[in-house]
Amino acid sequence: MNTGSLPGFRDFYPEDLALRSHIFSVWRDVARRYGFVEYDGPPLEALELYTRKSGDEIVSQLYRFTDQGGREVALRPEMTPSFARMVAARAGGLPKPIRWFSIPQLFRYERPQKGRLREHFQLNLDIVGESGELADVEVVAAAVDILRAFGLDAEDFVARVSDRQLVSGVLDSLGVSPAAVPAAFAVLDKVGRESEEWILEHLSGAGIDSDTGRRLLELGSCDLADLKRRVADHEEGAMSAARLERFFAHVDALGLADYVEFDAGLVRGLAYYTGLVFEVWDRRGKSRAICGGGRYDDLLAFVGGPDLPALGFGMGDVVLAGLLRERDLVPSGEAPVDDYVVCVSPEQRDAALSIVRALRERGRRVTFDYATRSLGRQFKAADQSGAERALVVGPDEMEQGTVRVRDMATGEERSLTLAGLIAE
């Protein structure tokens, strides 16, 4: 029998689970500080929920099967379709904007590689029912503040921001037909990961000549002022440029300008984005994107939800955990025990158990030796447990109605009455 975990899946030993719990704790703390409330959904959904959004080609990437009721189902590969379904069910009664977050475990059947496994946990944070750029600012700021809460700063990461409507305006100014824009976005999303030859070849396949393709490759070096001039006569592009200018002014007002940059070459490959898009990257460039997201104003209606503007991001635990380890920002593990009760002989066992019970009821983390081994071995076990105190119960202590308390860090000892021990 193979005793290892399946490829792309993880065992969480205590130290690994401690890091995961730390990540979840920071995610929840910052999300709640921003006024978001937590929700969750089922890990198993109807297969149609995903094919309706992403097409039948996604089926090969899913853990899917026919259940005993004959239903085609799949383990969730992402949270957005479940989110849309849940919002749709109560949209009429929910105050707007809806500000929800979740930390689902997601599953995709794909080749495991650095920073990408077949399962991972992901913070999903979304706003529904707000179309203004302040909502865009809020979502990007939340992502930045989450990473700052882990101890990372502007030298460690950067949020790169663009707008698909703005880039669409540039494509239009270059003569790219509206029908070719989705294919152009999909190819441009590969810039930096594929060769220039590959990019130009695939743009050509989308009906974009090599001259225009090379001009598109230059987008990454353009600043916002450059693109604003290019789309001056394009209504939607000009509006998006002005919106981005306001966005960066608000970011500056929040004191986060050092963390957020404009990147005209950023488009994100997912077709459902309609406006602002962003990704957060390690400045040293040693990992995948730490998180990514944007505005998806048409998606909820497309998958059967309400016709409401929406935006959000996802931040996975795999890349983030690797980054925290690399930067030595993994918190030291907390000792699991406060008190270790040492029983000198079996005759004191019942008295020791009553002390264990009383301390646990007051919130102390208490353990003891199950076999009443020698004092030396019990003190060694107390030291290995990381206990703050060893509480010795012996015949002398029983006679005097006391407990001998040893400070495990200093070795100092003192006697306390049982009442004094409980009160302390």
Side-chain angles (χ1 to χ4, degrees), residues 230-256:
R230 293 194 190 192
V231 298
D233 297 326
H234 187 279
E235 183 179 357
E236 287 189 354
M239 288 175 59
S240 297
R243 181 188 179 101
L244 270 181
E245 286 182 326
R246 296 193 299 271
F247 169 90
F248 280 104
H250 296 320
V251 167
D252 187 43
L254 285 171
L256 298 177

mmCIF file of all heavy atoms in Angstrom, residues 230-256:
data_model
loop_
_atom_site.group_PDB
_atom_site.id
_atom_site.type_symbol
_atom_site.label_atom_id
_atom_site.label_comp_id
_atom_site.label_asym_id
_atom_site.label_seq_id
_atom_site.Cartn_x
_atom_site.Cartn_y
_atom_site.Cartn_z
ATOM 1 N N ARG A 230 -3.554 57.986 -26.349
ATOM 2 C CA ARG A 230 -3.921 57.084 -27.448
ATOM 3 C C ARG A 230 -5.425 56.877 -27.557
ATOM 4 O O ARG A 230 -5.937 56.600 -28.639
ATOM 5 C CB ARG A 230 -3.253 55.716 -27.256
ATOM 6 C CG ARG A 230 -1.739 55.736 -27.387
ATOM 7 C CD ARG A 230 -1.233 54.321 -27.519
ATOM 8 N NE ARG A 230 0.217 54.230 -27.429
ATOM 9 C CZ ARG A 230 0.910 53.143 -27.747
ATOM 10 N NH1 ARG A 230 0.278 52.059 -28.179
ATOM 11 N NH2 ARG A 230 2.219 53.133 -27.639
ATOM 12 N N VAL A 231 -6.135 56.965 -26.422
ATOM 13 C CA VAL A 231 -7.578 56.683 -26.455
ATOM 14 C C VAL A 231 -8.408 57.960 -26.302
ATOM 15 O O VAL A 231 -9.600 57.888 -25.973
ATOM 16 C CB VAL A 231 -7.961 55.673 -25.341
ATOM 17 C CG1 VAL A 231 -7.252 54.343 -25.561
ATOM 18 C CG2 VAL A 231 -7.642 56.235 -23.956
ATOM 19 N N ALA A 232 -7.800 59.097 -26.546
ATOM 20 C CA ALA A 232 -8.508 60.374 -26.360
ATOM 21 C C ALA A 232 -9.808 60.429 -27.155
ATOM 22 O O ALA A 232 -10.787 61.054 -26.719
ATOM 23 C CB ALA A 232 -7.598 61.534 -26.732
ATOM 24 N N ASP A 233 -9.820 59.785 -28.334
ATOM 25 C CA ASP A 233 -11.012 59.818 -29.185
ATOM 26 C C ASP A 233 -11.879 58.567 -29.050
ATOM 27 O O ASP A 233 -12.811 58.368 -29.820
ATOM 28 C CB ASP A 233 -10.599 59.992 -30.655
ATOM 29 C CG ASP A 233 -9.889 61.310 -30.895
ATOM 30 O OD1 ASP A 233 -10.238 62.294 -30.225
ATOM 31 O OD2 ASP A 233 -8.969 61.340 -31.740
ATOM 32 N N HIS A 234 -11.549 57.721 -28.067
ATOM 33 C CA HIS A 234 -12.299 56.482 -27.860
ATOM 34 C C HIS A 234 -13.083 56.640 -26.559
ATOM 35 O O HIS A 234 -12.505 56.738 -25.473
ATOM 36 C CB HIS A 234 -11.327 55.300 -27.775
ATOM 37 C CG HIS A 234 -11.997 53.969 -27.721
ATOM 38 N ND1 HIS A 234 -12.520 53.441 -26.563
ATOM 39 C CD2 HIS A 234 -12.221 53.047 -28.699
ATOM 40 C CE1 HIS A 234 -13.024 52.252 -26.804
ATOM 41 N NE2 HIS A 234 -12.863 51.985 -28.097
ATOM 42 N N GLU A 235 -14.415 56.704 -26.649
ATOM 43 C CA GLU A 235 -15.237 57.066 -25.500
ATOM 44 C C GLU A 235 -14.992 56.179 -24.282
ATOM 45 O O GLU A 235 -14.697 56.675 -23.186
ATOM 46 C CB GLU A 235 -16.719 57.018 -25.887
ATOM 47 C CG GLU A 235 -17.636 57.464 -24.744
ATOM 48 C CD GLU A 235 -19.106 57.443 -25.151
ATOM 49 O OE1 GLU A 235 -19.393 57.136 -26.322
ATOM 50 O OE2 GLU A 235 -19.953 57.713 -24.275
ATOM 51 N N GLU A 236 -15.106 54.853 -24.451
ATOM 52 C CA GLU A 236 -14.945 53.949 -23.310
ATOM 53 C C GLU A 236 -13.507 53.964 -22.801
ATOM 54 O O GLU A 236 -13.265 53.945 -21.598
ATOM 55 C CB GLU A 236 -15.355 52.529 -23.695
ATOM 56 C CG GLU A 236 -16.855 52.343 -23.833
ATOM 57 C CD GLU A 236 -17.228 50.880 -24.007
ATOM 58 O OE1 GLU A 236 -16.309 50.035 -24.132
ATOM 59 O OE2 GLU A 236 -18.434 50.579 -24.023
ATOM 60 N N GLY A 237 -12.538 53.999 -23.731
ATOM 61 C CA GLY A 237 -11.140 54.033 -23.324
ATOM 62 C C GLY A 237 -10.812 55.287 -22.544
ATOM 63 O O GLY A 237 -10.107 55.237 -21.521
ATOM 64 N N ALA A 238 -11.328 56.451 -23.008
ATOM 65 C CA ALA A 238 -11.068 57.721 -22.316
ATOM 66 C C ALA A 238 -11.696 57.715 -20.920
ATOM 67 O O ALA A 238 -11.092 58.205 -19.952
ATOM 68 C CB ALA A 238 -11.609 58.876 -23.144
ATOM 69 N N MET A 239 -12.909 57.147 -20.812
ATOM 70 C CA MET A 239 -13.560 57.068 -19.503
ATOM 71 C C MET A 239 -12.758 56.163 -18.560
ATOM 72 O O MET A 239 -12.606 56.474 -17.371
ATOM 73 C CB MET A 239 -14.976 56.519 -19.662
ATOM 74 C CG MET A 239 -15.945 57.503 -20.314
ATOM 75 S SD MET A 239 -17.592 56.755 -20.613
ATOM 76 C CE MET A 239 -18.059 56.292 -18.942
ATOM 77 N N SER A 240 -12.220 55.081 -19.096
ATOM 78 C CA SER A 240 -11.434 54.163 -18.266
ATOM 79 C C SER A 240 -10.140 54.820 -17.810
ATOM 80 O O SER A 240 -9.696 54.621 -16.665
ATOM 81 C CB SER A 240 -11.121 52.879 -19.043
ATOM 82 O OG SER A 240 -12.309 52.189 -19.359
ATOM 83 N N ALA A 241 -9.492 55.595 -18.685
ATOM 84 C CA ALA A 241 -8.272 56.295 -18.304
ATOM 85 C C ALA A 241 -8.546 57.289 -17.180
ATOM 86 O O ALA A 241 -7.777 57.381 -16.210
ATOM 87 C CB ALA A 241 -7.681 57.012 -19.519
ATOM 88 N N ALA A 242 -9.652 58.029 -17.307
ATOM 89 C CA ALA A 242 -10.006 58.988 -16.260
ATOM 90 C C ALA A 242 -10.330 58.264 -14.951
ATOM 91 O O ALA A 242 -9.962 58.722 -13.856
ATOM 92 C CB ALA A 242 -11.200 59.826 -16.706
ATOM 93 N N ARG A 243 -10.998 57.132 -15.064
ATOM 94 C CA ARG A 243 -11.329 56.337 -13.878
ATOM 95 C C ARG A 243 -10.060 55.853 -13.179
ATOM 96 O O ARG A 243 -9.948 55.900 -11.949
ATOM 97 C CB ARG A 243 -12.202 55.152 -14.295
ATOM 98 C CG ARG A 243 -12.644 54.240 -13.152
ATOM 99 C CD ARG A 243 -13.341 53.008 -13.725
ATOM 100 N NE ARG A 243 -13.754 52.092 -12.672
ATOM 101 C CZ ARG A 243 -14.988 51.982 -12.205
ATOM 102 N NH1 ARG A 243 -15.951 52.744 -12.700
ATOM 103 N NH2 ARG A 243 -15.283 51.120 -11.253
ATOM 104 N N LEU A 244 -9.075 55.405 -13.970
ATOM 105 C CA LEU A 244 -7.813 54.959 -13.389
ATOM 106 C C LEU A 244 -7.069 56.106 -12.715
ATOM 107 O O LEU A 244 -6.423 55.914 -11.680
ATOM 108 C CB LEU A 244 -6.928 54.314 -14.455
ATOM 109 C CG LEU A 244 -7.087 52.809 -14.668
ATOM 110 C CD1 LEU A 244 -6.129 52.330 -15.741
ATOM 111 C CD2 LEU A 244 -6.832 52.042 -13.369
ATOM 112 N N GLU A 245 -7.128 57.290 -13.297
ATOM 113 C CA GLU A 245 -6.487 58.449 -12.663
ATOM 114 C C GLU A 245 -7.108 58.701 -11.287
ATOM 115 O O GLU A 245 -6.399 58.962 -10.311
ATOM 116 C CB GLU A 245 -6.630 59.680 -13.548
ATOM 117 C CG GLU A 245 -5.719 59.667 -14.771
ATOM 118 C CD GLU A 245 -5.844 60.929 -15.605
ATOM 119 O OE1 GLU A 245 -6.962 61.498 -15.676
ATOM 120 O OE2 GLU A 245 -4.827 61.353 -16.185
ATOM 121 N N ARG A 246 -8.435 58.612 -11.208
ATOM 122 C CA ARG A 246 -9.100 58.784 -9.912
ATOM 123 C C ARG A 246 -8.721 57.647 -8.961
ATOM 124 O O ARG A 246 -8.519 57.867 -7.756
ATOM 125 C CB ARG A 246 -10.618 58.848 -10.098
ATOM 126 C CG ARG A 246 -11.097 60.060 -10.902
ATOM 127 C CD ARG A 246 -12.601 60.240 -10.798
ATOM 128 N NE ARG A 246 -13.361 59.115 -11.305
ATOM 129 C CZ ARG A 246 -13.750 58.976 -12.573
ATOM 130 N NH1 ARG A 246 -13.413 59.890 -13.483
ATOM 131 N NH2 ARG A 246 -14.461 57.926 -12.951
ATOM 132 N N PHE A 247 -8.645 56.445 -9.505
ATOM 133 C CA PHE A 247 -8.254 55.283 -8.699
ATOM 134 C C PHE A 247 -6.905 55.531 -8.028
ATOM 135 O O PHE A 247 -6.754 55.347 -6.807
ATOM 136 C CB PHE A 247 -8.191 54.037 -9.603
ATOM 137 C CG PHE A 247 -7.558 52.829 -8.961
ATOM 138 C CD1 PHE A 247 -8.329 51.921 -8.257
ATOM 139 C CD2 PHE A 247 -6.189 52.599 -9.063
ATOM 140 C CE1 PHE A 247 -7.751 50.805 -7.668
ATOM 141 C CE2 PHE A 247 -5.602 51.492 -8.472
ATOM 142 C CZ PHE A 247 -6.383 50.594 -7.774
ATOM 143 N N PHE A 248 -5.907 55.960 -8.798
ATOM 144 C CA PHE A 248 -4.565 56.154 -8.230
ATOM 145 C C PHE A 248 -4.535 57.343 -7.268
ATOM 146 O O PHE A 248 -3.757 57.341 -6.299
ATOM 147 C CB PHE A 248 -3.537 56.318 -9.350
ATOM 148 C CG PHE A 248 -3.118 55.011 -9.953
ATOM 149 C CD1 PHE A 248 -3.603 54.604 -11.193
ATOM 150 C CD2 PHE A 248 -2.265 54.151 -9.282
ATOM 151 C CE1 PHE A 248 -3.226 53.390 -11.748
ATOM 152 C CE2 PHE A 248 -1.892 52.934 -9.821
ATOM 153 C CZ PHE A 248 -2.371 52.549 -11.065
ATOM 154 N N ALA A 249 -5.376 58.339 -7.495
ATOM 155 C CA ALA A 249 -5.460 59.453 -6.544
ATOM 156 C C ALA A 249 -5.982 58.960 -5.194
ATOM 157 O O ALA A 249 -5.478 59.362 -4.132
ATOM 158 C CB ALA A 249 -6.354 60.555 -7.104
ATOM 159 N N HIS A 250 -6.979 58.061 -5.217
ATOM 160 C CA HIS A 250 -7.526 57.509 -3.972
ATOM 161 C C HIS A 250 -6.496 56.608 -3.278
ATOM 162 O O HIS A 250 -6.381 56.632 -2.049
ATOM 163 C CB HIS A 250 -8.797 56.707 -4.258
ATOM 164 C CG HIS A 250 -9.921 57.525 -4.802
ATOM 165 N ND1 HIS A 250 -10.227 58.786 -4.349
ATOM 166 C CD2 HIS A 250 -10.839 57.254 -5.784
ATOM 167 C CE1 HIS A 250 -11.270 59.256 -5.001
ATOM 168 N NE2 HIS A 250 -11.655 58.354 -5.886
ATOM 169 N N VAL A 251 -5.774 55.837 -4.055
ATOM 170 C CA VAL A 251 -4.729 54.978 -3.485
ATOM 171 C C VAL A 251 -3.686 55.837 -2.770
ATOM 172 O O VAL A 251 -3.224 55.512 -1.663
ATOM 173 C CB VAL A 251 -4.071 54.120 -4.588
ATOM 174 C CG1 VAL A 251 -2.785 53.465 -4.076
ATOM 175 C CG2 VAL A 251 -5.039 53.051 -5.076
ATOM 176 N N ASP A 252 -3.318 56.953 -3.401
ATOM 177 C CA ASP A 252 -2.356 57.867 -2.791
ATOM 178 C C ASP A 252 -2.922 58.439 -1.492
ATOM 179 O O ASP A 252 -2.209 58.550 -0.489
ATOM 180 C CB ASP A 252 -2.032 58.988 -3.783
ATOM 181 C CG ASP A 252 -0.901 59.880 -3.292
ATOM 182 O OD1 ASP A 252 0.101 59.341 -2.773
ATOM 183 O OD2 ASP A 252 -1.013 61.115 -3.414
ATOM 184 N N ALA A 253 -4.216 58.789 -1.490
ATOM 185 C CA ALA A 253 -4.841 59.339 -0.283
ATOM 186 C C ALA A 253 -4.831 58.331 0.865
ATOM 187 O O ALA A 253 -4.757 58.707 2.035
ATOM 188 C CB ALA A 253 -6.270 59.770 -0.593
ATOM 189 N N LEU A 254 -4.886 57.036 0.540
ATOM 190 C CA LEU A 254 -4.839 55.986 1.552
ATOM 191 C C LEU A 254 -3.423 55.714 2.045
ATOM 192 O O LEU A 254 -3.228 54.919 2.969
ATOM 193 C CB LEU A 254 -5.423 54.682 0.993
ATOM 194 C CG LEU A 254 -6.948 54.604 0.867
ATOM 195 C CD1 LEU A 254 -7.353 53.355 0.110
ATOM 196 C CD2 LEU A 254 -7.603 54.629 2.245
ATOM 197 N N GLY A 255 -2.421 56.336 1.410
ATOM 198 C CA GLY A 255 -1.039 56.114 1.813
ATOM 199 C C GLY A 255 -0.456 54.822 1.291
ATOM 200 O O GLY A 255 0.524 54.308 1.850
ATOM 201 N N LEU A 256 -1.028 54.292 0.195
ATOM 202 C CA LEU A 256 -0.576 52.995 -0.334
ATOM 203 C C LEU A 256 0.098 53.118 -1.700
ATOM 204 O O LEU A 256 0.265 52.121 -2.399
ATOM 205 C CB LEU A 256 -1.769 52.030 -0.428
ATOM 206 C CG LEU A 256 -2.468 51.692 0.893
ATOM 207 C CD1 LEU A 256 -3.663 50.784 0.639
ATOM 208 C CD2 LEU A 256 -1.499 51.046 1.877
#
